[in-house]
Amino acid sequence: MAAPPESPGRPCPGGASDASYREQAVLIDCEGDTLVGIASIPARPGPRGILVIVGGPQYRAGSHRQFVLLARDLAQDGIPVLRFDYRGMGDSAGGMRNFEQVGADIARALDQFTATVPSLQDVAVWGMCDGAAAAAFHAPLDPRVVGMVLLNPWVRTDGGIARTTLRHYYRARLFDRALWGRILRGRFDYRAALRSLAGLLSQAAGGTRRAGGSQPALPDRLLSSLAAFPGRILVILSGQDLTAREFMDLAGSSAKWKRALGPHRTGWRHLEEADHTFSCRAWRDQVARWTREWVRSW
């Protein structure tokens, strides 16, 4: 069901082109609860749209309004976009859920997206952090989804983040001038550093299965979903982010991961200076350009 447009018959705020797109609020029924979304609809929509899957706990605007700006950028280039709040988040009703419990929300949002933009032929899902994991879990189950854009995907385990921290954070600290200055001035807490290092070494040596249960760990479940998905994938990683580093290490860790993210269907983009949420304008604009180019490339 559609709510009244935000700016009926007028250009949307922030639009670079006066009549290139419009934004419309939509209400989405999901198992008796109402989700709230915003569709950015080009004046001449292309056949492929982007559904933004929000990472949590967060809502449809995104950190630093990234999802708003991304949607408007893509819509100006003819790519329809829908961003929405899960149940229990933002303006949506219902109880709060984690990223592994939002499959119905994503499915109903796709229903609404295709009803709101009838010219759509297929959709790519776009997610950051655990939104990327949610997108990957849903994509192989929905034939409307032909592509995924995964930014700094969440594959967190205690052992995985410990190994990533040891490999990347501690290595970088060896070249940290401020650290060596504290050591030379006698202001370095050796006991705390050794306790932290011992804890990380213990976690890094641990298994990958979820403690106390038989369910496979998150990385194994995500790998199964990626392997089952037949479409295209774009992975965008930040250089200054341990979540991205953990995923990158995992993706190169075995033949199974390398097959699931094979070069025949997976593109990789690295933004070395960027933090986890691409918090400055130049980084957000680069992500939007990569997304736009990828959507147009196939």
Side-chain angles (χ1 to χ4, degrees):
M1 151 170 81
E6 291 182 320
S7 304
R10 298 194 302 274
C12 292
S17 177
D18 283 350
S20 61
Y21 72 99
R22 62 186 174 88
E23 288 186 329
Q24 177 179 312
V26 295
L27 303 179
I28 305 164
D29 178 70
C30 183
E31 299 181 345
D33 292 316
T34 300
L35 314 183
V36 176
I38 302 293
S40 299
I41 307 172
R44 296 182 178 178
R48 178 168 298 138
I50 291 284
L51 179 71
V52 175
I53 309 296
V54 175
Q58 201 176 131
Y59 84 120
R60 63 185 181 272
S63 302
H64 330 290
R65 297 176 68 245
Q66 181 176 24
F67 304 155
V68 176
L69 300 172
L70 172 74
R72 291 174 177 175
D73 184 290
L74 297 179
Q76 287 169 16
D77 198 45
I79 301 170
V81 181
L82 176 65
R83 49 193 172 86
F84 71 103
D85 297 332
Y86 300 143
R87 283 173 289 181
M89 293 301 300
D91 294 312
S92 293
M96 188 173 177
R97 287 158 171 77
N98 68 35
F99 69 96
E100 297 189 66
Q101 301 169 325
V102 295
D105 305 64
I106 295 171
R108 298 293 81 74
L110 281 164
D111 292 343
Q112 183 63 57
F113 195 15
T114 54
T116 302
V117 188
S119 61
L120 283 180
Q121 296 177 12
D122 52 52
V123 175
V125 288
W126 189 107
M128 181 188 298
C129 192
D130 63 18
F137 283 141
H138 184 80
L141 307 176
D142 197 318
R144 296 170 294 187
V145 177
V146 298
M148 295 189 285
V149 184
L150 309 177
L151 294 87
N152 299 332
W154 181 258
V155 290
R156 181 62 45 85
T157 62
D158 290 344
I161 191 59
R163 288 187 290 274
T164 298
T165 303
L166 290 167
R167 182 177 295 116
H168 299 288
Y169 175 76
Y170 276 88
R171 182 180 297 173
R173 292 282 281 170
L174 292 175
F175 302 96
D176 187 339
R177 294 179 63 182
L179 170 65
W180 286 105
R182 288 198 298 275
I183 291 173
L184 292 173
R185 291 191 297 271
R187 298 178 180 176
F188 183 73
D189 189 338
Y190 289 94
R191 290 183 179 178
L194 289 172
R195 283 196 301 270
S196 175
L197 179 60
L200 287 169
L201 289 169
S202 176
Q203 289 181 343
T208 60
R209 297 183 71 84
R210 185 173 290 181
S214 59
Q215 185 181 35
L218 172 60
D220 298 326
R221 287 179 280 128
L222 189 67
L223 173 59
S224 295
S225 290
L226 292 171
F229 179 63
R232 303 289 188 95
I233 302 172
L234 176 65
V235 179
I236 301 177
L237 299 176
S238 302
Q240 308 305 310
D241 177 46
L242 284 177
T243 298
R245 296 280 189 179
E246 186 177 4
F247 180 82
M248 188 164 56
D249 290 347
L250 188 64
S253 66
S254 72
K256 289 182 179 180
W257 272 98
K258 291 175 183 178
R259 282 196 300 271
L261 295 170
H264 62 288
R265 60 132 175 195
T266 304
W268 296 81
R269 304 290 185 273
H270 298 265
L271 201 51
E272 185 57 37
E273 303 83 6
D275 56 23
H276 181 66
T277 58
F278 303 90
S279 60
C280 82
R281 180 175 180 175
W283 301 337
R284 292 193 300 270
D285 288 350
Q286 182 62 72
V287 167
R289 279 194 296 273
W290 281 336
T291 302
R292 186 171 60 247
E293 292 165 0
W294 177 79
V295 168
R296 296 294 194 197
S297 69
W298 51 284

